Amino acid sequence: MTAENPTGPLGGHLDDDDYPAYTMGRAAEMLGTTPGFLRAIGEARLITPLRSEGGHRRYSRYQLRIAARARELVDQGTPVEAACRIVILEDQLEEAQRLNAEYRRAAASSGPPPAL
């Protein structure tokens, strides 16, 4: 087995944060919550789990991190819908800051604009 040609049940997805590797039961267990909580944040459109061929929800590590953040807020007394909105806004802000930093690096590396 090589890094270029992985084999096994996950087929090289061990490092893929977006691979839906976790069942609802396992995801709930890992988060210390209930399947109902995962369904609630799905209904609030915070995460959209993929479905297996049998129709079962499957979650990725990225989705579990997002769900864990929502759970922290809910544990602090924030309603589920509000927690989901907060997490969505935090995620959008992080992405905007990342893009802004990229644009600044690109602008800095291109040098000053030509003189007229």
Side-chain angles (χ1 to χ4, degrees):
M1 176 165 68
T2 67
E4 291 133 12
N5 189 16
T7 60
L10 295 179
H13 295 289
L14 290 175
D15 293 332
D16 185 353
D17 267 0
D18 295 318
Y19 183 73
Y22 303 98
T23 63
M24 176 181 273
R26 180 68 179 129
E29 179 182 318
M30 290 170 70
L31 294 171
T33 190
T34 64
F37 175 78
L38 292 172
R39 281 190 291 275
I41 63 174
E43 290 170 11
R45 297 187 192 158
L46 178 60
I47 58 176
T48 304
L50 274 88
R51 298 284 184 147
S52 69
E53 289 180 19
H56 300 283
R57 291 174 178 89
R58 304 286 293 195
Y59 298 89
S60 68
R61 285 189 303 211
Y62 173 75
Q63 290 173 324
L64 294 183
R65 283 195 300 274
I66 297 291
R69 176 65 181 129
R71 181 169 184 255
E72 288 175 15
L73 292 169
V74 169
D75 287 349
Q76 295 170 5
T78 306
V80 171
E81 295 79 14
C84 291
R85 185 65 182 142
I86 289 168
V87 172
I88 289 167
L89 291 170
E90 287 175 342
D91 198 46
Q92 289 173 345
L93 176 60
E94 184 178 320
E95 177 67 7
Q97 289 173 331
R98 185 189 64 75
L99 289 172
N100 192 17
E102 281 182 26
Y103 292 142
R104 285 180 187 212
R105 278 191 298 276
S109 68
S110 66
L116 296 177

